[in-house]
Amino acid sequence: NCGQCFELKFVDQEHSDGNWGGSAPELVGKRMVVQVTNIGYDVTGDHTFDLQIPGAGQGAFDHGCAAQFQGHPSTDFDCDNRYGGCNSKEGCGRLPEELRAGCEWRYDWFHWLQADGKTNNPYVDFRRVKCPEQLTSISGSVPMDDDELPTVDLDSSPPHPAGSGPPRPVPGRS
């Protein structure tokens, strides 16, 4: 799936093994388009999307950020919490200036850990879509069948119909 893009729509569903995750009410119905950039063999589950968000935990691979942003120890990039990352927006201040807005987005738009522990591993409906230029200009990757897929205008298009794909958890790092 490397290079393919998917539209994610966050849905109102909790994990069946306890009230520890899902989507905060403010996240339900929001949509985003993501591009697959790696396989993520350390992530398990069917149809999972491991969103790479600054300050959200580095997981098993904790050397890349410190190598790219020299002068910052690896622990600055996840507030000493490799699986889950910074537990508050204030922790974003430990990251390099270039990454702080992305880290803060996690709290402002994504509503991380709000509403009694939500958002944590939210469920999504998803569908494959044409990769927007905003992503392909960064990644340099355009799937060969991209022109055959629907284009998404997140500012004006309605969400895709319910039931067009089963909700699946998005693995977080908690």
Side-chain angles (χ1 to χ4, degrees):
N1 295 1
C2 209
Q4 295 178 350
C5 289
F6 293 86
E7 177 188 30
L8 310 181
K9 178 185 169 200
F10 297 93
V11 298
D12 186 14
Q13 184 171 343
E14 295 177 357
H15 292 271
S16 61
D17 58 347
N19 184 21
W20 63 269
S23 296
E26 298 83 4
L27 185 61
V28 173
K30 284 188 175 183
R31 297 174 300 131
M32 66 187 311
V33 174
V34 298
Q35 186 172 34
V36 176
T37 59
N38 67 30
I39 300 300
Y41 289 111
D42 63 320
V43 178
T44 59
D46 292 334
H47 302 290
T48 57
F49 295 89
D50 191 9
L51 304 178
Q52 303 299 300
I53 304 170
Q58 300 175 85
F61 308 103
D62 66 341
H63 300 299
C65 292
Q68 184 175 355
F69 295 95
Q70 295 180 5
H72 287 270
S74 180
T75 55
D76 277 356
F77 296 94
D78 55 24
C79 297
D80 301 295
N81 184 14
R82 284 178 61 186
Y83 297 92
C86 302
N87 289 318
S88 71
K89 188 174 177 178
E90 290 73 33
C92 298
R94 292 180 61 177
L95 277 72
E97 183 65 36
E98 301 94 324
L99 301 179
R100 289 181 191 157
C103 181
E104 292 169 356
W105 170 90
R106 183 178 181 215
Y107 298 93
D108 298 337
W109 189 94
F110 199 61
H111 300 283
W112 179 249
L113 293 181
Q114 293 177 14
D116 297 322
K118 297 180 181 181
T119 292
N120 183 355
N121 289 353
Y123 282 84
V124 297
D125 282 338
F126 65 93
R127 66 176 179 153
R128 182 144 176 244
V129 297
K130 180 176 179 158
C131 292
E133 188 274 333
Q134 293 94 327
L135 293 177
T136 59
S137 66
I138 295 168
S139 69
S141 179
V142 179
M144 293 191 313
D145 63 348
D146 215 36
D147 287 332
E148 300 169 19
L149 297 164
T151 301
V152 175
D153 179 355
L154 289 176
D155 293 324
S156 64
S157 65
H160 56 284
S164 62
R168 304 291 182 190
V170 176
R173 308 253 170 151
S174 53

